[in-house]
């Protein structure tokens, strides 16, 4: 199968209407020709394929397909969410004031530089809406994140993918793709492959871009990273042309709530605040988000779990003769030496046993699967089944 992410077929065009026909066209045809037509980019967006969450005939599948938190959500966040039920008749605070203050205190960022969103996906879309349009280019790396080309198409800009090296962001390859039309560069750091680039490389990328190019550092997995040479990139924000996006979906375990935020220059915050829906973050999301940042003990437990079980998972995969990529996140991308056929076979075998992992076809990595670092029992069950599929070494 061809990688859908990298394919941009031109939109299907309405057939040109013959002039000779017009007198004879019936009302039906006229009506359909006059139906609303979407903006050119809309139909270029490949339909999103989410990590699967169900298997027919299996009541409770083991879901290791979407990099969700192995340990659920902070009980304090859940309690705050439940308490918020008393206020569902009220509109949320449009400025998310208390939530931004809580994030600011936790991260040492000024509240004025924080904008919250309906997941960080919304922030990515708002940045596209604010800073790119028809005739512009939006640049990202080949396996960055499927949302980046979506954003480009949504705003009528042209998505441009730079190649990676060993599934890792390649700063030189990115810089080589920059043109006078480049308006935004999206870098997932850590990447959707689990790898990361050190802060020194981010600095080199920033220095290689002209001041007018917006650099978006998508740090969705930052909480998991313990590499000494990594930072989310907040120190680049002060210069006025870099934004760091964050999410509550991964380590904070609130993916279902839809809550993300960014640290951005004040002028960019002003733009995002004008563009966003006034009530984009719900009452329960604001309440749970405040409780979640206030429960750093829970976050520490999540990080500890991950630091223990990610290396275990990597070791098991290596033991099977598979090729896991280095990961600083809560998931492991693994390449099958038998290629896409073997990866597909493994995926089908696991699925039949109620174990869901992510196929990577949307990223053009058909020979790989991506596995979330779940709970111990989930990981052991996955490894057991994978071992059965692969047979004795
Ligand atoms: C999961 C993820 C996000 C977070 O998306 P939300 O909309 O905040 O849930 C952003 N970027 C990357 C690379 C991700 O994997």
């Amino acid at each position: 199968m061809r990688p859908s992410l990298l394919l941009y077929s031109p939109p299907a065009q309405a057939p040109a209407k013959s002039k000779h026909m017009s007198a004879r066209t019936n009302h039906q045809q006229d009506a359909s020709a006059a139906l609303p037509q979407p903006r050119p980019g809309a139909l270029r967006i490949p339909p999103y394929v989410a990590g699967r969450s169900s298997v027919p005939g299996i009541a409770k599948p083991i879901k290791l397909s979407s990099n969700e938190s192995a340990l659920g959500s902070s009980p304090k966040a859940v309690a705050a969410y439940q308490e918020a039920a008393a206020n569902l008749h009220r509109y949320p605070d449009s400025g998310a004031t208390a939530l931004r203050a809580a994030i600011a205190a936790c991260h040492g960022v000024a509240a004025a530089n924080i904008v919250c969103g309906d997941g960080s996906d919304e922030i990515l879309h708002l940045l596209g809406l604010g800073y790119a349009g028809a005739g512009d280019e939006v640049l990202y790396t080949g396996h960055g994140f499927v949302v980046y080309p979506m954003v480009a198409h949504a705003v009528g800009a042209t998505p441009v993918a730079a190649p990676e090296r060993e599934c890792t962001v390649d700063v030189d390859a990115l810089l080589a793709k920059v043109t006078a039309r480049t308006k935004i560069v999206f870098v997932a750091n850590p990447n959707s492959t689990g790898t990361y680039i050190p802060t020194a490389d981010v600095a080199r990328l920033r220095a290689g871009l002209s001041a007018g190019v917006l650099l978006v550092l998508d740090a969705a997995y930052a909480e998991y990273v313990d590499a000494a040479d990594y930072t989310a990139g907040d120190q680049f924000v002060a210069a006025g042309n870099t934004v760091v996006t964050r999410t509550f979906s991964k380590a904070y375990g609130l993916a279902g709530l839809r809550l993300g935020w960014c640290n951005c220059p004040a002028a960019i915050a002003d733009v995002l605040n004008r563009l966003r829906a006034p009530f984009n973050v719900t009452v329960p999301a604001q309440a749970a988000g405040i409780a979640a940042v206030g429960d750093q003990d829970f976050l520490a437990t999540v990080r500890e779990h991950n630091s223990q079980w990610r290396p275990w998972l990597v070791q098991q995969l290596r033991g099977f003769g598979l090729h896991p990529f280095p990961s600083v996140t809560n998931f492991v991308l693994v390449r099958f030496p038998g290629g896409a056929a073997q990866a597909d076979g493994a995926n089908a075998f696991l699925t039949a046993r109620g174990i869901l992992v992510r196929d990577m076809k949307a990223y053009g990595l058909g020979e790989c699967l991506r596995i979330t670092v779940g709970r111990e029992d989930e990981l052991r069950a996955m490894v057991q089944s994978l071992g059965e599929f692969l047979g004795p070494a």
Side-chain angles (χ1 to χ4, degrees), residues 291-378:
V293 286
D295 191 357
Q296 291 295 310
D297 288 347
F298 175 78
L299 191 67
T301 309
V302 167
R303 288 169 49 104
E304 271 164 40
H305 171 87
N306 201 60
S307 311
Q308 179 180 358
W309 290 98
R310 185 187 58 219
W312 181 86
L313 174 58
V314 167
Q315 191 188 9
Q316 299 294 314
L317 296 170
R318 281 212 190 102
F320 289 142
L322 306 176
H323 303 297
F325 285 86
S327 171
V328 294
T329 62
N330 68 328
F331 60 86
V332 175
L333 177 73
V334 59
R335 188 163 55 78
F336 285 70
Q342 193 186 25
D344 283 347
N347 195 8
F349 189 91
L350 292 173
T351 301
R353 282 148 191 81
I355 300 169
L356 301 174
V357 300
R358 184 66 155 261
D359 88 54
M360 292 296 281
K361 293 188 173 78
Y363 286 89
L365 295 169
E367 72 284 14
C368 296
L369 294 176
R370 203 175 67 180
I371 306 167
T372 306
V373 178
R375 291 192 313 261
E376 174 179 355
D377 59 319
E378 296 173 322

Side-chain angles (χ1 to χ4, degrees), residues 48 66-67 117-124 143-148 188-192 218-221 245-250 254-256 258-261 331 363 370:
Y48 185 74
S66 296
N67 308 340
D118 177 17
S120 55
D121 279 5
E122 186 195 16
I123 306 278
L124 300 173
H143 310 120
F145 188 34
V146 284
V147 168
Y148 309 151
N189 195 29
N191 201 10
S192 291
D218 176 351
Y221 299 97
T245 62
R246 305 291 292 258
T247 185
F248 282 83
S249 297
K250 304 288 158 57
L254 295 173
R258 312 305 304 128
L259 182 58
W261 59 280
F331 60 86
Y363 286 89
R370 203 175 67 180

